[in-house]
Amino acid sequence: MDRRLPPELWICIFHFATHVPDTLIPEIYTHASLIGSIYSRSSNAALRDALVTKRAVVRVCRQWWHLAAPILYQSVYIGRARCLSSLSSTLVQSAAAKGTVVGERPLGEYTQRLDIAMRDHAVNANAEFDSLATLISCMPHLAIVSFSVTPSYAVSLPNHILDALRSSAASLRVLDWSSTNLEPTASRIVDLLAKCTHLRILNCPRLVWSKDLQHGGIPLTVTTLRVHALIPVHLATAYHELLPNFDARAASRPGPSALQELILDLHRDPEYWRELLSVYTSQLVSVQFYLPTLSSVDMDSHLRLLTHTCPHLRRLTITSDRFSSFIRPDLVFPSIAYLGLRATRAQSPKADFVTLFGFLNEVASSGRIPTLRAVQLLHDNNVQCLLKTHTKFAVRALRPFVDPDKVPFRVEDGQGVLLTGWCIEHVTIDRDLH
């Protein structure tokens, strides 16, 4: 009897040993709302660990190399700039059918995801970018590209990197600039997006945009958009500087949009976003607000803007350094069913939770958000701080929300687990002890 495992079974084992959940198409779509630094922090470590395992597998023997090479190159993670030269050389040689088995696909054709996450210092930036452009050109089927470069690699992004990305633009589904390092110029990102005909998730630091101009607009296939700043252009002369090939006479208003979720960094007044919302909200059901740490934001005006421009809005998420920085007693919310709250501080003081639950009690008693069905504390640190650091207050604060007949909405953690369940359990244990 032949005791050797068939190749198909080995491939299944390799997949099982190296698979990172929710990092490829289509699973990544379920995490679209976290696009940016939150998602990158959670996925990068797992991708690096998987890469170590993949490298070990392909070095066992020649047979395993041929079986596991497609898995090794399915997701490429670049954590060090010094690796760019050797990786690009390998992909170029494979594309030229050098050093490979006749009939096998070039290795770059297996790549679906590319993470550009250099955390070292640039030694020879020009040569490193040439290598990066070369290897991108060898990956015609890219679906996900993520830039999460650390500040240590602080150099500007040259144009030929975006030229290389255009070669696989038609297959791109996710384009994520999680960091402002290697940020593209406004005009070049416009040229790239025009070729991204199937893009679903876009996280971009800044966009050239105007409600009257389709050229340079957001791809109409995008369902989740995160943008830090818009560059509105009102005059054709301004377009001439940003978009040299722009023809104002051929411009047209954007068509129907698929945009369902919008993630905004609130660093300006509501008028800054009004025109964007007036065009791209026909399908919008979810909005996330990220509040700056060191400046005040007129939250009430932003909420009123959503009420007037987003008739189908059902989900709202607000992220700030602390709850008390945006919660006000007179806030007017749109007709949402879900409210997600996140404080980025590692430890929130009791006063912050007093403000938060005072607000929730007022909403429950007044019924001013009659459609609200769930409130979630999204950051695990917030939940642990409330339950473990401010335990006595947590019991008092959560007790009014235990009876679903009296309160129309649930209070949950980020996984959808009822915090009132902890309250009931804690009170029961307390009684048993006494």
Side-chain angles (χ1 to χ4, degrees), residues 420-432:
T420 50
W422 172 90
C423 178
I424 295 171
E425 181 181 352
H426 187 86
V427 171
T428 302
I429 293 174
D430 220 26
R431 286 173 180 169
D432 292 342

Side-chain angles (χ1 to χ4, degrees), residues 73-231:
Y73 286 93
Q74 183 183 46
S75 179
V76 174
Y77 184 92
I78 303 171
R80 303 286 184 185
R82 63 173 180 265
C83 302
L84 287 168
S85 178
S86 59
L87 178 58
S88 64
S89 296
T90 299
L91 295 181
V92 168
Q93 291 180 18
S94 176
K98 295 180 181 179
T100 60
V101 176
V102 176
E104 284 192 348
R105 292 169 59 188
L107 295 173
E109 291 192 6
Y110 293 111
T111 306
Q112 299 176 32
R113 176 182 179 123
L114 174 63
D115 286 85
I116 302 166
M118 281 91 77
R119 55 190 186 277
D120 54 355
H121 295 274
V123 177
N124 185 342
N126 290 334
E128 291 163 2
F129 280 131
D130 288 344
S131 297
L132 179 58
T134 299
L135 70 88
I136 290 174
S137 299
C138 294
M139 300 173 174
H141 305 306
L142 277 175
I144 303 168
V145 176
S146 174
F147 290 84
S148 54
V149 180
T150 61
S152 61
Y153 202 88
V155 291
S156 58
L157 187 70
N159 289 335
H160 62 292
I161 300 298
L162 292 177
D163 291 336
L165 281 173
R166 291 180 65 179
S167 64
S168 56
S171 64
L172 283 177
R173 301 298 191 273
V174 179
L175 187 55
D176 174 21
W177 265 277
S178 291
S179 63
T180 55
N181 299 301
L182 296 187
E183 180 184 337
T185 62
S187 60
R188 294 315 306 271
I189 191 63
V190 163
D191 294 338
L192 174 61
L193 292 178
K195 302 293 183 181
C196 297
T197 54
H198 295 92
L199 197 65
R200 289 275 300 271
I201 303 174
L202 173 61
N203 175 22
C204 191
R206 59 195 77 246
L207 291 172
V208 174
W209 184 87
S210 170
K211 71 172 184 177
D212 299 318
L213 304 174
Q214 185 171 7
H215 184 95
I218 301 158
L220 300 180
T221 55
V222 169
T223 58
T224 300
L225 169 67
R226 178 168 186 174
V227 60
H228 176 71
L230 296 175
I231 303 177

Side-chain angles (χ1 to χ4, degrees), residues 209-324:
W209 184 87
S210 170
K211 71 172 184 177
D212 299 318
L213 304 174
Q214 185 171 7
H215 184 95
I218 301 158
L220 300 180
T221 55
V222 169
T223 58
T224 300
L225 169 67
R226 178 168 186 174
V227 60
H228 176 71
L230 296 175
I231 303 177
V233 183
H234 304 293
L235 301 173
T237 53
Y239 269 103
H240 182 69
E241 290 184 21
L242 292 170
L243 309 172
N245 301 321
F246 172 70
D247 183 359
R249 295 169 297 178
S252 61
R253 187 179 177 85
S257 169
L259 190 65
Q260 297 180 13
E261 181 161 31
L262 183 61
I263 307 170
L264 302 175
D265 289 357
L266 298 188
H267 63 295
R268 299 202 180 193
D269 61 69
E271 295 301 319
Y272 187 68
W273 303 109
R274 185 178 297 276
E275 290 186 348
L276 174 72
L277 289 171
S278 68
V279 173
Y280 287 100
T281 57
S282 60
Q283 304 295 325
L284 198 66
V285 295
S286 178
V287 168
Q288 293 189 48
F289 284 155
Y290 279 77
L291 276 64
T293 302
L294 299 177
S295 60
S296 60
V297 170
D298 184 359
M299 178 57 68
D300 186 60
S301 295
H302 283 91
L303 293 176
R304 290 180 185 276
L305 175 61
L306 292 183
T307 301
H308 294 149
T309 58
C310 305
H312 306 296
L313 190 67
R314 293 296 176 265
R315 297 172 62 89
L316 176 64
T317 302
I318 303 175
T319 299
S320 183
D321 62 327
R322 60 189 188 277
F323 298 120
S324 57

